Amino acid sequence: MIDTSPFGTAPLPTAPPKDPEVWAVRGLAGYAPVLDAHEHRRAAAFRREADHEIYVAAHTALRVVIGACLGEDPLAVRFTREDCPGCGGPHGRPALAGADEGHEAAGPQARPGSAAPPLHFSLSHTHGLALIALAPTPVGVDIEALPGVRTVADVASTLHPDERGFLAQLPAQERPFAFARCWTRKEAYLKGTGEGLGGGGFARTVVGAAAHPLPVPGWTLTDVRVPHGYAAAVAVRD
């Protein structure tokens, strides 16, 4: 289980992290919104004010935290999409524009001639809470509000048969958390690889719904400690 750093309370980083870290975002925490034109359009498309607010807070926090890592103005941070590993289309994992596996992001504390670790990130938000994951290798994070029992029954068919079998053995009242635990692990992993939910990997990837994630070759899956009513996980490439 990994703990989170609360955005607006914990000190901002001064360089890209050497180890994975996760930031929890509940609001702007006193920061003015910092969005580019594309993000402004996305924010305006939300019909529910609560969804609009958490989107603005999450994307502002992402810019502020990454800007702190790189020693840049948050609005100067530029994002792009890597190619999808499945089809090659430009809708893979989000990344810093101009960055690649060998990207060296020099934070303000970096010594002349020294290289800070590469900076990879992932963002997820739902129902008033967002998570930002940072790591020196590709990373994915996901957070979900716990679903109702009926939703679990309707959606469980998307899981791997082994995971469905595990859920079926649980008492009905325990299934929503176990399902959400499984779902967030799986989505975090697929966000980390860049495949996403549409590539067919959701059903074939086995991450487990029990207390501890099952191993996935080449990746480390870890549940994230979040408030009651949510489940979350982070996946980091080894």
Side-chain angles (χ1 to χ4, degrees), residues 133-144:
L134 304 176
T137 59
V139 60
V141 71
D142 188 55
I143 181 169
E144 303 288 342

Side-chain angles (χ1 to χ4, degrees), residues 95-165:
L96 294 174
D100 56 28
E101 291 298 319
H103 173 72
E104 295 176 357
Q109 304 302 316
R111 300 186 304 274
S114 68
L119 179 59
H120 298 266
F121 67 91
S122 182
L123 171 66
S124 179
H125 52 83
T126 182
H127 296 282
L129 183 59
L131 296 181
I132 296 168
L134 304 176
T137 59
V139 60
V141 71
D142 188 55
I143 181 169
E144 303 288 342
L146 298 189
V149 174
R150 178 171 295 182
T151 300
V152 173
D154 291 342
V155 185
S157 61
T158 61
L159 303 179
H160 187 276
D162 292 349
E163 296 162 343
R164 296 200 303 268

Side-chain angles (χ1 to χ4, degrees), residues 93 121-122 133 138-142 187-189 191-193 219 233-236:
R93 185 175 55 234
F121 67 91
S122 182
V139 60
V141 71
D142 188 55
E187 186 162 351
Y189 166 68
K191 289 171 72 173
T193 65
W219 290 77
V234 62
V236 184

Side-chain angles (χ1 to χ4, degrees), residues 158-183:
T158 61
L159 303 179
H160 187 276
D162 292 349
E163 296 162 343
R164 296 200 303 268
F166 177 85
L167 290 177
Q169 296 176 11
L170 295 176
Q173 67 272 19
E174 295 181 17
R175 290 174 193 162
F177 182 69
F179 172 84
R181 185 164 54 191
C182 180
W183 183 284

